């Protein structure tokens, strides 16, 4: 939830993305501080055939938390 407090250490955030229209998700940017800074998440799973990206793309980000 927005504004949630987490303990210091490493935080793993996971999710899925979809670009629509059969276009491939090529990058997912994640902000953990309300948009002040951004980090690039790692895309997982199989890469779709270009022009045939009709499924969700899984992503994961591991980031240090102060």
């Amino acid at each position: 939830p927005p504004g949630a407090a987490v303990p210091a250490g490493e935080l793993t955030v996971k999710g899925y993305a979809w670009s629509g229209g059969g276009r491939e998700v090529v990058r997912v940017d994640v902000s953990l501080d309300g948009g002040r800074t951004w980090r690039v998440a790692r895309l997982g799973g199989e890469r779709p055939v270009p022009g045939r990206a009709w499924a969700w793309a899984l992503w994961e980000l591991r980031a240090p938390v102060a």
Side-chain angles (χ1 to χ4, degrees):
V6 295
E10 185 175 79
L11 177 68
T12 299
V13 183
K14 297 179 182 183
Y16 52 88
W18 180 65
S19 67
R23 293 180 304 272
E24 179 182 2
V25 174
V26 296
R27 178 175 162 157
V28 174
D29 296 321
V30 180
S31 177
L32 301 175
D33 58 10
R36 286 189 301 264
T37 61
W38 294 86
R39 296 175 182 269
V40 178
R42 182 180 61 82
L43 294 173
E46 296 180 24
R47 306 306 302 158
V49 174
R52 296 192 163 260
W54 303 110
W56 301 98
L58 300 175
W59 59 266
E60 179 176 307
L61 173 73
R62 291 184 184 184
V65 177

